[in-house]
Amino acid sequence: MKNKKMGIILAFVAAVLASSYGSAYAAANLEPINAYFNRGVSFVLKGELWQPKDEDGNLLTAIHYEGSNYLPVRALAEALKIPIEFDAVSQKIYIGGKPAEKTPIFAMPMEIDNIYAILSKDPKETMVKNKQFQEVLKIDQYGDVIFTTDRKYKRLVLDAAVVSPGEHEVEFSLYNASDNAANTAQTILKKLTVKPDDDVKKLIFNVEGLEKIKIHVQSPNLNPYIYARILDTSYFDNGDPAATAGSKEAPSK
């Protein structure tokens, strides 16, 4: 113990995620192991020296066990800008977001152009294509809406339409609105079009890995009046992959 700091790891990942386990769960699922803190190993992340830390800013040390070095999965996920969440009920660690979970678009942190893009709950304005909705984002000329996603989602699914008296096609363009986007902030990542004679149209954008996004809405010919609507049935999600089974630490070896 003096020359080699031998530790007993009891579900290292769970400890880092600040989980609380009852004695019954521990007895059935936690197994003690003998391992070493490997204070000699260092990490280089994308060409730069990297020091893993926990949520409180405390330095973390790799653990050496049976030939491999291990680090808490949260430290690695956050360093690689991958969302991570622990579900204490199911005892699952979700890396990359919870599958099939939907977050309604208007429940998200958002900024809108209040001159030409306005949230409305007026029943006359929420009647779209003969269907009544609770809330819409109405964009009668052109507008921007910015969402803070914090890399938690893979997709933005927009339900959109052009309503009467709209006569023109409307483009919905996705941009990276992160503070670190630099020159790429002007690059259109994806552009989709809705026509006046379309019913409510589902537009799917890939937003994986993005911290903040912008949806710009306008006519491709810069026609002044477009009468576009984004509906409250729109949402962010992570697709529908099979749920991640179990949890493991990621080896750094």
Side-chain angles (χ1 to χ4, degrees):
M1 291 292 290
K2 293 181 180 180
N3 298 326
K4 297 181 179 179
K5 291 205 170 183
M6 181 177 290
I8 298 178
I9 310 169
L10 300 177
F12 192 58
V13 171
V16 172
L17 290 174
S19 305
S20 177
Y21 294 91
S23 58
Y25 180 88
N29 296 282
L30 301 184
E31 179 181 353
I33 60 173
N34 292 326
Y36 300 92
F37 286 111
N38 187 353
R39 303 193 188 281
V41 68
S42 59
F43 301 90
V44 177
L45 179 66
K46 297 181 180 180
E48 296 183 1
L49 192 64
W50 172 65
Q51 174 61 61
K53 299 178 181 179
D54 65 16
E55 291 180 301
D56 297 322
N58 300 313
L59 301 184
L60 295 173
T61 301
I63 294 214
H64 188 79
Y65 176 66
E66 293 188 349
S68 294
N69 289 305
Y70 290 83
L71 274 176
V73 66
R74 178 177 291 281
L76 288 174
E78 291 184 348
L80 296 172
K81 298 186 181 301
I82 299 172
I84 183 167
E85 184 174 350
F86 176 64
D87 187 329
V89 176
S90 66
Q91 292 294 304
K92 287 186 173 68
I93 296 173
Y94 292 94
I95 303 172
K98 288 186 177 181
E101 185 176 66
K102 298 179 180 179
T103 299
I105 190 172
F106 297 142
M108 293 285 294
M110 60 187 291
E111 307 165 43
I112 61 175
D113 181 337
N114 287 311
I115 298 176
Y116 298 117
I118 302 172
L119 284 171
S120 175
K121 294 183 179 180
D122 186 330
K124 294 179 181 178
E125 296 177 335
T126 57
M127 176 65 73
V128 178
K129 300 294 182 178
N130 297 317
K131 299 174 185 176
Q132 188 69 62
F133 296 87
Q134 295 297 314
E135 187 172 17
V136 302
L137 179 62
K138 52 175 288 199
I139 307 168
D140 287 344
Q141 295 190 40
Y142 63 87
D144 294 328
V145 55
I146 298 173
F147 296 97
T148 300
T149 55
D150 289 330
R151 306 185 308 273
K152 293 181 179 179
Y153 306 95
K154 293 181 179 179
R155 305 191 310 170
L156 166 59
V157 181
L158 281 185
D159 287 336
V162 176
V163 300
S164 179
E167 299 178 350
H168 310 289
E169 290 187 353
V170 176
E171 293 177 341
F172 293 75
S173 300
L174 171 68
Y175 293 84
N176 180 359
S178 168
D179 295 337
N180 300 319
N183 293 335
T184 61
Q186 305 303 316
T187 302
I188 297 176
L189 303 180
K190 189 170 185 178
K191 182 189 296 181
L192 298 172
T193 301
V194 178
K195 299 178 181 179
D197 57 353
D198 288 335
D199 198 357
V200 172
K201 190 171 182 179
K202 195 173 293 294
L203 311 177
I204 300 177
F205 297 92
N206 178 12
V207 299
E208 187 171 8
L210 300 178
E211 295 179 321
K212 185 181 284 189
I213 65 166
K214 179 177 76 175
I215 297 293
H216 177 69
V217 185
Q218 71 172 43
S219 161
N221 298 319
L222 302 181
N223 294 298
Y225 295 102
I226 57 176
Y227 300 100
R229 300 290 185 267
I230 294 176
L231 311 177
D232 58 8
T233 50
S234 306
Y235 56 88
F236 287 87
D237 76 355
N238 286 293
D240 296 306
T244 303
S247 60
K248 291 184 178 180
E249 290 178 324
S252 62
K253 182 178 178 181

